């Protein structure tokens, strides 16, 4: 929807691709849908959910056996984002490196986007 021909809306690191493919295989899901919603101390939060049926309005990104669907309302917010999967001593989680984010809370769970993207939302 907001894509550039020949360029994926989001990119996945090798670790993210491996983790998403593992999650898909575990219960036979079609992939993960990512989106954004209002909430958190900075104003917006990322969402992730298992998908058993691909919505025709989703932007679909496939890479090495992993499939990510971007919800229609989130496509303009997520374009250009790199998704990684990091494991540390205390946690394992997906990390979003999003060039459209102007602020984030200390924990990184809540984000704020450029005002031009959120106008009218």
């Amino acid at each position: 929807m907001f894509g550039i021909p020949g360029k994926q809306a989001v990119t996945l690191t090798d670790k993210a691709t491996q983790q998403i493919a593992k999650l898909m295989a575990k219960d036979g899901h079609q992939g993960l849908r990512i989106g954004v919603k209002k909430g958190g101390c900075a104003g917006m939060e990322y969402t992730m959910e298992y998908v058993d049926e691909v919505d025709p309005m989703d932007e679909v990104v496939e890479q090495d056996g992993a499939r990510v669907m971007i919800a229609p309302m989130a496509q303009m917010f997520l374009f250009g984002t790199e998704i990684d999967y990091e494991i540390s001593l205390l946690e394992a989680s997906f990390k979003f490196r999003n060039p459209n984010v102007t602020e984030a809370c200390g924990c990184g769970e809540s984000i704020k986007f450029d005002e031009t993207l959120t106008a009218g939302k």
Side-chain angles (χ1 to χ4, degrees):
M1 188 177 244
F2 291 95
I4 296 173
K7 181 173 169 71
Q8 293 189 128
V10 299
T11 57
L12 307 171
T13 65
D14 289 341
K15 289 180 182 177
T17 301
Q18 292 167 8
Q19 183 64 20
I20 293 168
K22 185 188 323 180
L23 291 171
M24 289 172 57
K26 182 178 177 186
D27 292 319
H29 297 294
Q30 294 295 309
L32 291 177
R33 179 175 291 117
I34 58 174
V36 294
K37 68 177 184 175
K38 290 185 179 187
C41 53
M44 302 284 277
E45 297 174 319
Y46 292 113
T47 62
M48 294 186 86
E49 64 183 347
Y50 292 112
V51 175
D52 292 322
E53 190 173 314
V54 179
D55 183 319
M57 297 302 290
D58 286 344
E59 177 76 23
V60 179
V61 175
E62 295 184 271
Q63 185 176 317
D64 299 326
R67 183 179 301 118
V68 171
M69 283 69 84
I70 305 171
M73 295 301 292
Q75 292 172 10
M76 70 178 152
F77 296 109
L78 296 173
F79 190 78
T81 298
E82 178 187 67
I83 302 171
D84 194 8
Y85 186 74
E86 296 179 358
I87 300 172
S88 71
L89 187 59
L90 299 175
E91 69 175 350
S93 63
F94 288 99
K95 302 292 182 184
F96 292 76
R97 294 185 189 97
N98 187 335
N100 304 306
V101 170
T102 58
E103 291 180 38
C105 67
C107 67
E109 297 292 322
S110 180
I111 51 183
K112 182 177 180 182
F113 292 102
D114 184 314
E115 297 294 327
T116 60
L117 292 176
T118 58
K121 296 286 174 209

